[in-house]
Amino acid sequence: MEITTGESIASPTLMEVLQEVLQDSKIAHRVSWERWAPGTLWQSCHNRRQSLFVVRHGRLELAVTDAEGRERSLRLLAESELFGTEALAAGPAAEGEAARQDYGIRAVTYSEVLQLPLDIVDQLIAQLPLFRKALTSSIANHIWALEREREHGRSMPTNNRLLCYLRCGENGIRSGQKPSGKATLPMHLLARRIGCSAGHLSRSVSTMVRQGMLLRQDGRLQLQGDGERPYAFCEGCA
């Protein structure tokens, strides 16, 4: 299975591979999907490391709670992205083993999520190289994005984090897609995503609008110019 765009040939996404896999009724009846309304919350401690989840469509927020009890948004997940990957590393939790809440997943929009039992994932890894390749790529991109967030995003002032988010997009240049330079998130979610209070974000935005760095348009933010001065950027968009 290959996807041709112009003269280039791209590997299929994880969701595209799964759509082919689910044509097999023996596998399809073992895979379930759920429709989540905005605000639906899933916690990793409830998974017991028994399933892998793939976003079929929609947008979901991956969040953790820091040592002070504040929620921090680390990523926004979209189609073909996955969570529950701790199941692949550790296998099912042992009977009586204490569950620990590592992170939460919250639906931002109406979303559909596929739930793949771990034994089905193991079967597909062993029997279908295309699935194995797509899964490996998805996991690598997920780890890279979280590491980028840890190493660069949280170490910079709010103004820099906001401009980097607008320049890099959710997944940075690694995604191969040119970011739009627009913040499509509501302001309260954007504040959580870049790790600051709504008030702090509002003050930063006002400053950068006066500086001509940003433009408010239809309730959203638009990056003006190349945004290279007077702020520094992360390695992903420098």
Side-chain angles (χ1 to χ4, degrees), residues 8-99:
S8 63
I9 298 178
S11 297
T13 66
L14 182 58
M15 193 65 244
E16 288 168 339
V17 173
L18 284 172
Q19 287 173 341
E20 292 292 323
V21 168
L22 293 176
Q23 299 301 313
D24 184 337
S25 59
K26 293 181 180 178
I27 295 177
H29 88 276
R30 295 287 316 284
V31 175
S32 60
W33 64 275
E34 298 179 357
R35 181 172 170 81
W36 292 5
T40 300
L41 178 65
W42 176 95
Q43 295 178 332
S44 61
C45 61
H46 295 158
N47 189 23
R48 301 295 293 171
R49 301 197 296 267
Q50 294 178 347
S51 299
L52 183 69
F53 299 83
V54 181
V55 182
R56 188 173 185 178
H57 70 74
R59 301 176 82 186
L60 302 103
E61 177 186 24
L62 187 157
V64 298
T65 302
D66 64 19
E68 287 75 38
R70 295 172 300 191
E71 187 176 79
R72 299 178 66 174
S73 177
L74 296 184
R75 286 207 67 203
L76 289 180
L77 306 178
E79 182 180 323
S80 284
E81 296 191 282
L82 69 172
F83 56 96
T85 52
E86 61 275 5
L88 299 174
E95 187 68 28
E97 180 182 346

Side-chain angles (χ1 to χ4, degrees), residues 157-162 187 190-191 194-214 216 221 231:
T158 300
N159 292 11
N160 299 61
R161 294 202 302 269
L162 174 58
M187 290 293 284
L190 181 60
I194 65 172
C196 68
S197 68
H200 195 162
L201 176 62
S202 179
R203 289 191 295 273
S204 292
V205 168
S206 295
T207 296
M208 288 187 285
V209 167
R210 289 196 301 271
Q211 293 173 333
M213 305 286 290
L214 296 178
R216 290 181 184 268
L221 300 177
Y231 302 105

Side-chain angles (χ1 to χ4, degrees), residues 73-74 144-154 193:
S73 177
L74 296 184
W144 179 88
L146 290 175
E147 184 66 13
R148 170 177 168 267
E149 181 76 14
R150 184 182 70 83
E151 290 290 337
H152 305 295
R154 300 297 175 179
R193 180 63 191 85

Side-chain angles (χ1 to χ4, degrees), residues 98-150:
R100 182 166 59 94
Q101 181 182 345
D102 293 319
Y103 62 91
I105 301 290
R106 180 185 293 108
V108 176
T109 65
Y110 282 101
S111 306
E112 286 187 7
V113 176
L114 288 178
Q115 180 177 355
L116 286 75
L118 192 57
D119 63 312
I120 292 295
V121 175
D122 288 341
Q123 176 185 333
L124 294 175
I125 289 174
Q127 298 179 0
L128 192 60
L130 201 57
F131 174 82
R132 186 163 62 244
K133 180 179 179 181
L135 178 63
T136 301
S137 177
S138 292
I139 292 173
N141 287 335
H142 183 66
I143 293 173
W144 179 88
L146 290 175
E147 184 66 13
R148 170 177 168 267
E149 181 76 14
R150 184 182 70 83

